Amino acid sequence: MTEFETAALVYQAASLSYQYAALWVSGGVGAAQCLLIGSGLWLMHRGMQRRDRQHAETIAAQERHHAEHLANHAEYMANHAQLMANHEETMKVLNANVLALEQQGEALREQGAALREQGAALRVVVERTGSGHKN
């Protein structure tokens, strides 16, 4: 074997070693990329799960708040209905009292008119009897 053939074989062996090294480096870089992508996907999945839990908690809190609001509203409406019934009853009593006062006022006006008539009649009697004593 000649020196050139030996050098060619050494060159081919070195070239093959570099190719294997490039293959291992490419494989390492590919594996590192896969690892980075996988860890990124895993982190995204964990973040999504955390957001899902927070969303579920928020919805549960909103549902509790809504149920409390409905209960409070129902209680308010029941109180309002009772207040309106009380108001109606009070208005009936007040209307009856106003009517009674109006009737009492009319009776007092009639009594006043009668007293005025009596006063006038008494003045006439006093004038007649008073003038009879003078003669």
Side-chain angles (χ1 to χ4, degrees):
M1 192 179 291
T2 66
E3 199 175 302
F4 176 77
E5 290 175 336
T6 306
L9 285 175
V10 169
Y11 176 76
Q12 285 177 352
S15 177
L16 188 60
S17 295
Y18 289 133
Q19 287 177 357
Y20 281 131
L23 180 66
W24 280 103
V25 168
S26 297
V29 168
Q33 288 175 338
C34 288
L35 181 64
L36 286 173
I37 291 170
S39 63
L41 290 173
W42 180 74
L43 287 172
M44 287 171 52
H45 180 71
R46 280 187 48 202
M48 182 181 65
Q49 287 177 330
R50 185 174 52 248
R51 282 189 304 277
D52 286 347
R53 280 192 305 272
Q54 289 173 342
H55 183 66
E57 291 170 2
T58 301
I59 288 176
Q62 287 176 343
E63 287 174 351
R64 283 191 306 274
H65 177 71
H66 184 69
E68 290 172 8
H69 176 73
L70 288 178
N72 290 340
H73 181 69
E75 183 179 343
Y76 170 79
M77 292 306 290
N79 290 340
H80 179 71
Q82 182 61 44
L83 287 172
M84 291 306 292
N86 291 346
H87 177 70
E88 296 268 334
E89 187 62 32
T90 301
M91 291 307 293
K92 286 179 186 176
V93 169
L94 286 175
N95 287 335
N97 288 344
V98 166
L99 182 60
L101 287 173
E102 287 174 351
Q103 291 171 349
Q104 189 178 24
E106 183 60 33
L108 287 172
R109 280 189 287 281
E110 289 173 6
Q111 189 178 23
L115 287 173
R116 281 190 290 281
E117 286 178 19
Q118 284 180 355
L122 285 174
R123 274 191 291 282
V124 170
V125 168
V126 168
E127 286 175 3
R128 285 185 188 166
T129 56
S131 60
H133 282 289
K134 291 182 185 175
N135 288 348

